[in-house]
Structure formats: C-alpha cells, structure tokens
C-alpha cells in the first residue's frame, strides 16, 4: 500500500462503520435510502466487503424510485420496531450481552467489558449511564469514531499514532463484534425468513467486520513501514 491507498482505506472504513451505525441506530427515513441507493455508496461498500456481498445487500433497493423512498422507509420502520424495539419479545435483540449470556438479558458483565473498552480509548455513550453500552449501534459508533481518528492521524502525517490506533480497533473486533454479530445475524435469519433489509444489512456487516480485521493487520504493517 502506498500513502494514498492507505488514506483511502482509512476513509472508506470510517464511512462504512458510520453507515452501519445509522442503519441500526434508529428507524430508517428517505434520506438513508437515498444514501444507500447512491452509486458511490455501492462502490465504497464494495471496496469494504467485496462486490458480491455489497450487491447482495444493496441491489434490492435499486428498483425503488427516488420519490418512493419515504414510503418504503415507512415500511422498513415497521420492521425496525418489530425486530429491535418491541413491544414484546424481540426476535433479534441488538445487545452483545444477550449473545454472551445465552439469555435475553442486558446489563451483564459483557456490558461492563464493552464500557471499559470505550473508556480505555476515551469514549462513553452520549446517554451513559442510562443505556446499555453494548447495543450494536453504539459499538458501531465507537468503531466509526476510532476509524475517523486513525484517518485524521494519518492525514496529519502522524503515522506512528495512526498505526498504534489500529490495534484497539482490531481487538474490539476480535473480542466483541466478531463474537456476537454473527449470532445476532443468525437470530435475524430466523425472524426474517424472506431475506429482509435488516438481515441483508447484518450479513454485510459480518462480512465487513471479518474483512476489516484482516485488513487492519495489513494496513498496520504498511503504515509502520512508511514510518520507518
């Protein structure tokens, strides 16, 4: 990797983490669908997860006319509420502790472990302590924030800080997101037997996290080489 390739990689992964954060943080709207339908989003997601996986997620949206985005977002909002808010038992709870404990409960030891990971990098959720820190959207926001910091350090010429910043991100992927997001995706598969939007999004997220963990190791080595 040369400097421009590394810079593009760091910028792209920050965008992708922020995109997935928006998808899982709240109900969709027409603006989100407009972003997802944008050709540039498809290109950036394709760089991150591969063209085939990116297309599997986004292609079903390509047949929606732009003036129909708000109406389609309304239908997806119903899915979001049913899957992640309730009322009633959630078919795919979006908290890490559920999958760590094997029970549909939150605020477990794993929640504290996630909080400590945030604190070690100088972050806490905006609504701390009123929210469970291990919600998928919060974990994605954390990764997006760290990704932006890596990009900023590298762009400012601080290769040493940029290389060092990738280690905590790799650990968080290996010790948290890649432990439970595949299990979350399996729960979604049972709830979304027709291959709905959120199942496709979670599947693409799994692909991204796996590939990002591998890419971080490669990028860290290349950045360290530039530093030397």
């Amino acid at each position: 990797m040369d400097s421009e390739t590394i810079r593009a990689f760091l910028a792209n992964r920050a965008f992708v983490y922020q995109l997935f954060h928006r998808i899982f943080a709240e109900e969709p709207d027409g603006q989100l669908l407009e972003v997802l339908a944008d050709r540039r989003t498809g290109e950036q997601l394709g760089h991150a997860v591969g063209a085939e996986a990116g297309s599997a997620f986004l292609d079903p949206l390509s047949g929606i006319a732009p003036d129909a985005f708000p109406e389609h977002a309304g239908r997806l909002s119903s899915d979001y509420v049913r899957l992640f808010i309730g009322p009633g038992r959630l078919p795919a709870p979006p908290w890490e502790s559920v999958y760590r404990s094997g029970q549909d409960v939150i605020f477990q030891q794993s929640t504290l472990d996630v909080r400590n990971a945030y604190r070690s990098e100088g972050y806490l959720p905006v609504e701390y302590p009123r929210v469970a820190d291990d919600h998928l959207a919060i974990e994605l926001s954390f990764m997006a924030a760290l990704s932006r910091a890596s990009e900023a350090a590298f762009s400012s010429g601080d290769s040493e800080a940029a290389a060092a910043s990738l280690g905590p991100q790799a650990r968080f992927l290996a010790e948290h997101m890649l432990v439970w997001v595949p299990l979350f995706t399996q729960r979604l598969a049972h709830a979304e037997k027709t291959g709905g939007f959120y199942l496709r999004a979670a599947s693409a997220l799994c692909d991204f996290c796996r590939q990002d963990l591998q890419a971080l190791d490669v990028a860290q080595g290349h950045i360290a080489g530039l530093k030397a």
Side-chain angles (χ1 to χ4, degrees):
M1 292 184 180
D2 59 19
S3 294
E4 286 306 312
T5 301
I6 293 171
R7 186 174 291 107
F9 163 73
L10 295 174
N12 189 62
R13 60 189 298 273
F15 169 80
V16 174
Y17 275 116
Q18 187 62 39
L19 178 66
F20 280 118
H21 161 72
R22 171 60 185 90
I23 289 170
F24 289 104
E26 59 184 323
E27 297 169 47
D29 56 18
Q31 184 177 18
L32 173 62
L33 293 188
E34 184 177 350
V35 170
L36 291 172
D38 191 295
R39 173 185 56 80
R40 291 167 296 182
T41 299
E43 291 174 351
Q44 289 180 272
L45 192 61
H47 288 311
V49 303
E52 184 176 349
S55 294
F57 173 34
L58 296 178
D59 280 0
L61 300 174
S62 62
I64 303 171
D67 59 2
F69 285 162
E71 179 183 354
H72 191 73
R75 291 195 292 270
L76 292 180
S77 292
S78 298
D79 291 339
Y80 185 92
V81 171
R82 173 176 61 85
L83 292 168
F84 308 130
I85 297 179
R89 183 175 183 271
L90 300 183
W95 293 276
E96 179 176 337
S97 54
V98 169
Y99 304 90
R100 292 279 193 172
S101 67
Q103 305 176 49
D104 286 6
V105 291
I106 59 176
F107 287 108
Q108 302 299 301
Q109 179 59 46
S110 58
T111 310
L112 299 179
D113 293 341
V114 170
R115 182 180 301 168
N116 288 334
Y118 296 161
R119 278 182 166 151
S120 69
E121 299 303 315
Y123 293 92
L124 276 177
V126 172
E127 296 184 23
Y128 168 83
R130 298 186 302 277
V131 297
D133 309 60
D134 59 347
H135 190 286
L136 177 58
I138 299 176
E139 294 194 5
L140 288 166
S141 180
F142 175 61
M143 288 297 294
L146 294 186
S147 300
R148 289 193 296 270
S150 298
E151 179 192 1
F154 188 80
S155 295
S156 69
D158 194 345
S159 296
E160 184 174 0
S165 72
L166 299 185
Q169 297 173 60
R171 285 194 297 275
F172 194 78
L173 282 170
E175 297 174 4
H176 294 283
M177 299 198 71
L178 281 170
V179 173
W180 76 276
V181 173
L183 301 175
F184 166 72
T185 305
Q186 291 175 16
R187 287 276 295 258
L188 273 175
H190 289 294
E192 294 280 84
K193 297 185 183 301
T194 58
F197 172 80
Y198 288 103
L199 174 57
R200 299 197 313 272
S203 297
L205 175 59
C206 281
D207 289 335
F208 173 55
C209 289
R210 292 188 188 103
Q211 294 186 41
D212 192 43
L213 180 59
Q214 296 176 354
L216 284 174
D217 183 57
V218 174
Q220 193 170 33
H222 282 285
I223 294 173
L226 290 176
K227 178 186 65 175

